[in-house]
Amino acid sequence: MSNLSIFVLFKLLWKHIKPNRKKQFGFLLGLTFLGALAEVISLGSVLPFIGILIQPEKVFASAWLAGPISFFSIKSPSELVFPITIIFSTAALTAGILRLYLLWYSIKIGNATGADLSIEIFRRTLYQDYSIHVSRNSSEIISGITQKVSAATSVLISTVTVT
């Protein structure tokens, strides 16, 4: 089993995950893309924000801001600093909050999936024939199951939080 690739192992693990957890992983994937988009917007707003602070006249004269400047009736370059600061702060805070929620949700789903796997393994162990139970040491079985499920859960959480 040790010579199997990581993708094969994840494929085998995926077969044992409940359908509702698979939907939650799909939601997590969408949330990850949304978080990446928020990060891009947050990072992309740094340069315009710095440009407004350093040379507001240049930004005020740019063609791509002409529409919003006339829409909001901004008359001078100094009036542009406050709205851009609000936009930058909002983008940065939104990205940070989304990142925290994504981390919390990833850990929650990883632990819930680990609990599901643990319950299923214990259920299958308990429903084995009596002769199997008599021939094995129960503390070794429980210890082995706990270690394997803990390792699988750790790998699952690590994989989900990295993405």
Side-chain angles (χ1 to χ4, degrees):
M1 188 95 174
S2 63
N3 60 355
L4 294 176
S5 74
I6 191 77
F7 297 111
V8 172
L9 291 175
F10 276 120
K11 190 175 178 183
L12 290 172
L13 181 62
W14 188 253
K15 289 180 183 178
H16 296 286
I17 294 176
K18 292 181 176 182
N20 65 329
R21 296 282 180 235
K22 290 180 181 180
K23 288 178 186 175
Q24 289 173 334
F25 277 112
F27 176 71
L28 182 63
L29 183 64
L31 195 61
T32 302
F33 285 126
L34 188 63
L37 179 66
E39 283 293 321
V40 167
I41 291 171
S42 175
L43 292 173
S45 65
V46 170
L47 288 178
F49 177 65
I50 292 173
I52 278 289
L53 294 177
I54 295 173
Q55 294 179 327
E57 301 82 25
K58 234 181 189 181
V59 177
F60 190 76
S62 72
W64 61 274
L65 276 180
I69 287 173
S70 65
F71 180 76
F72 290 110
S73 332
I74 298 174
K75 304 291 184 224
S76 71
S78 61
E79 291 179 7
L80 201 55
V81 173
F82 184 70
I84 295 292
T85 302
I86 295 297
I87 291 170
F88 173 73
S89 300
T90 303
L93 283 173
T94 302
I97 290 169
L98 197 56
R99 211 175 319 130
L100 283 174
Y101 179 72
L102 183 62
L103 181 63
W104 171 79
Y105 193 72
S106 300
I107 292 171
K108 176 184 172 194
I109 296 303
N111 284 328
T113 303
D116 291 345
L117 292 171
S118 181
I119 290 167
E120 182 61 23
I121 290 170
F122 278 119
R123 186 188 66 73
R124 288 183 183 194
T125 302
L126 287 175
Y127 287 116
Q128 289 180 343
D129 289 337
Y130 179 72
S131 60
I132 294 173
H133 287 286
V134 172
S135 67
R136 291 175 160 173
N137 184 348
S138 61
S139 64
E140 289 177 7
I141 293 171
I142 292 171
S143 173
I145 290 171
T146 304
Q147 289 174 354
K148 301 272 193 239
V149 170
S150 177
T153 303
S154 296
V155 167
L156 191 61
I157 290 173
S158 297
T159 303
V160 169
T161 55
V162 165
T163 56

